[in-house]
Amino acid sequence: MTTRKIAVITAGVSTPSSTRMLADRLAAAVGEALRSAGVPAQVEIVELREHARALADAIVTGFPAGELRDAIRTVTGADAVVAVTPVFAASYSGLFKTFVDVLEPDALAGKPVLLAATAGTARHSLVIEHAMRPLFSYLRALTVPTGVFAAPEDWAGGDATPLSTRIERAARELADLMTSRAPAPVADPFDDPTPFENLLAER
């Protein structure tokens, strides 16, 4: 059976990061849900803080390069994406949005995506619905119904918590969506680049 690839985008800026912790738990849960369905899974983490300077350069030049280009290939070539951002100023972080901005317009079209966010207070718990889901709807991604939000108080209590329940439910939804679809074709988003003169004309 074909191994399904899951790209996990995490936009935490500190080390350690609660955003990365949530990303790791979601990745493990999705992998387990797929394996329970008899489908082998491969998870690749895209840690955006490692590409912060390259992302700024890509915005200015219009050309992602080096390891950032590899990260973009990881996301665009995956069968599904788990996208996790910290909340800054009541929305997704600038680092997270910058990565989205350097993707080709159709890069996530039709791709199953699980949305998740972390914040320092539960007052931001609707950020997935009022900020992230509209963004990914614009990108024509297939977002699963359950978004996973985690505030500091959500981490206490071990596995038997509402956060664990949300993680497991969202993971099953993503796994179900993945197993109902054919594996993603292997595509290189840089095979047909926009000519440089066209990029200049757009600026």
Side-chain angles (χ1 to χ4, degrees):
M1 183 172 291
T2 304
T3 298
R4 298 302 175 95
K5 296 180 181 179
I6 306 142
V8 181
I9 303 168
T10 173
V13 294
S14 60
T15 304
S17 161
S18 60
T19 304
R20 177 59 188 267
M21 288 170 56
L22 182 57
D24 287 343
R25 287 188 61 178
L26 287 165
V30 175
E32 179 59 31
L34 286 170
R35 285 187 288 272
S36 296
V39 179
Q42 176 185 337
V43 175
E44 293 189 67
I45 304 290
V46 176
E47 185 76 69
L48 295 186
R49 66 186 298 273
E50 298 174 356
H51 305 289
R53 289 187 176 87
L55 282 166
D57 289 341
I59 288 292
V60 173
T61 65
F63 293 100
E67 293 181 356
L68 175 58
R69 178 178 287 201
D70 294 338
I72 292 172
R73 284 194 177 107
T74 294
V75 171
T76 57
D79 295 291
V81 172
V82 176
V84 193
T85 180
V87 175
F88 290 169
S91 188
Y92 37 71
S93 72
L95 183 62
F96 182 85
K97 182 56 163 57
T98 303
F99 182 76
V100 172
D101 286 345
V102 302
L103 297 176
E104 290 296 319
D106 295 329
L108 300 181
K111 194 178 295 293
V113 177
L114 191 165
L115 304 176
T118 61
T121 171
R123 290 181 298 171
H124 293 303
S125 60
L126 291 178
V127 69
I128 293 173
E129 304 306 324
H130 72 63
M132 295 184 75
R133 204 174 296 279
L135 172 63
F136 282 84
S137 293
Y138 172 79
L139 298 171
R140 293 184 290 118
L142 299 177
T143 57
V144 301
T146 300
V148 181
F149 174 84
E153 58 268 26
D154 291 316
W155 295 102
D159 292 335
T161 63
L163 175 60
S164 296
T165 300
R166 293 196 299 274
I167 288 172
E168 291 173 6
R169 182 170 62 239
R172 286 196 303 270
E173 290 171 354
L174 187 65
D176 288 346
L177 191 53
M178 292 174 68
T179 54
S180 67
R181 299 162 55 86
V186 178
D188 188 340
F190 304 104
D191 274 346
D192 186 23
T194 303
F196 186 66
E197 59 270 21
N198 291 0
L199 289 172
L200 291 176
E202 293 173 359
R203 297 182 181 276

